[in-house]
């Protein structure tokens, strides 16, 4: 049962992030990669540093970033690649003109979003392990306003962990990309449930198609 | 609305597969990789070929296969790696003793499961493109007994496609690993909905925790 009427509010910004710029750890597109071949200049007024990052990710110099270019550019702190599902989730959020790729204007929002999430991840990775464990995940979700039952927290931890529980010792942690996906999935699903729960009693009556639509629209 | 009372039944075996052995295309653990270092022999009565594959996948010679070993061994027809979520799904199905790894006895079932799915994938990949498009996906799900609304089929195609739609041209296809995950997800979600739909009228009344449990238990 969800218990906080503010659940889901301000997932991006409700958690105070004092200074997440300058966070040197991955994930980040390789900022030092220099361009080669023909490349049009940045649009007027563009942040030169952001333009440099954009052109580094846009490896085929098409002027926009594809799913595969974005996936190639994003790595976790342990150098593992972002899951395709997380990359597609980012594309879906920031490809506002539905072109299937990320243009420079869209890239600006994407970059800020990832930077903000890096700050959140670093904040909740209390033991500086580079991954989020079950306790840290519960803390993070609670700070976003989600009061989830322990059984649900365990399910989320297992689903988004970067490996399987071995039966002994703690389960493997959650890498950055999967942490972001887990949080966005909880937000998306909870908000969809809340919309269906018109009388706000914690129960919904839905048919198969509505149910599947909610699930399939979550990342 | 689901319409077929047989939905979900026999997803593995209901579709007739005449001959899926000998299918040479990926995914497969590298069968020609030979062992090195100390390795205990196969258990009595073990299929020597299966044992050879098992030891090839068990690269650290621990006697069982971890998530990372399985992920390293499995590739799609286009040589892309299996998604972690698909690998974890396979582990969850076949790690019957919940050790967190796949022993040789468990590997036998896993190998057959993948081989069977290869046959299904090959059967529905009518244009031999190496990936499943929306039409082929609809055909496959229909053959498993799922009569899904076109809007749901579109959502499934988009969610499991190996890239983003570009706005022009057809969306990218679904690779083998994501095809299997899509089918198992539809099966898992539909069966869970069906269990909740005790009076079989196509509607369920569930609370937030039940809803989240169903979703989080799907791969």
């Amino acid at each position: 049962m969800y218990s906080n009427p503010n659940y889901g509010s301000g997932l991006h910004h409700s958690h105070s992030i004092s200074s997440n710029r300058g966070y040197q750890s991955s994930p980040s597109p390789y900022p030092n990669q220099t361009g080669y071949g023909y490349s049009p200049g940045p649009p007027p007024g563009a942040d030169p540093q952001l333009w440099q990052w954009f052109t580094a990710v846009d490896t085929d110099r098409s002027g926009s970033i594809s799913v595969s270019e974005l996936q190639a550019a994003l790595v976790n702190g342990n150098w593992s690649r972002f899951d395709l599902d997380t990359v597609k989730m980012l594309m879906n959020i920031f490809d506002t003109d539905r072109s299937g790729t990320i243009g420079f204007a869209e890239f600006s929002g994407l970059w800020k979003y990832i930077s903000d999430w890096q700050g959140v991840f670093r904040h909740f990775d209390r033991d500086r392990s580079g991954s989020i464990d079950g306790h840290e995940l519960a803390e993070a979700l609670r700070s976003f306003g989600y009061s989830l039952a322990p059984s649900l927290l365990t399910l989320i931890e297992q689903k988004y962990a970067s490996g399987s529980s071995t039966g002994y010792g703690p389960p493997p942690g959650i890498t950055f990309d999967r942490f972001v996906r887990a949080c966005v999935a909880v937000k998306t699903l909870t908000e969809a449930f809340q919309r269906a729960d018109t009388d706000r009693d914690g129960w919904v009556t839905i048919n198969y198609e509505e149910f599947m639509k909610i699930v399939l629209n979550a990342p």
Side-chain angles (χ1 to χ4, degrees), chain A residues 37-49:
Chain A
Y38 172 74
S39 172
D47 177 337
Q49 178 67 80

Side-chain angles (χ1 to χ4, degrees), chain A residues 13 18 22 28 42 71 95 127 136 149 164 178 188 219:
Chain A
H13 301 294
S18 56
S28 68
Q71 189 173 24
D95 176 23
D127 62 1
E136 293 164 345
S164 282
R178 296 177 71 86
T188 306

Side-chain angles (χ1 to χ4, degrees), chain A residues 48-122:
Chain A
Q49 178 67 80
L50 196 67
W51 177 256
Q52 192 189 324
W53 287 330
F54 178 77
T55 54
V57 178
D58 178 26
T59 48
D60 71 354
R61 295 289 176 272
S62 66
S64 61
I65 295 170
S66 66
V67 167
S68 53
E69 285 172 336
L70 189 58
Q71 189 173 24
L74 294 169
V75 290
N76 291 298
N78 63 356
W79 298 104
S80 65
R81 291 201 323 173
F82 275 34
D83 283 316
L84 177 59
D85 292 284
T86 306
V87 176
K88 287 179 69 181
M89 178 191 88
L90 294 172
M91 298 285 290
N92 278 334
I93 296 173
F94 289 98
D95 176 23
T96 48
D97 65 1
R98 298 287 138 202
S99 64
T101 57
I102 298 287
F104 182 65
E106 294 166 339
F107 181 72
S108 172
L110 169 66
W111 189 268
K112 182 172 185 332
Y113 186 77
I114 293 175
S115 298
D116 286 353
W117 272 110
Q118 284 176 328
V120 172
F121 185 83
R122 185 175 54 157

Side-chain angles (χ1 to χ4, degrees), chain A residues 181-200:
Chain A
R181 182 147 61 96
C183 293
V184 176
V186 168
K187 179 180 192 290
T188 306
L189 291 166
T190 305
E191 288 177 354
F193 185 92
Q194 192 179 15
R195 272 194 301 275
D197 179 16
T198 47
D199 63 358
R200 307 283 287 163

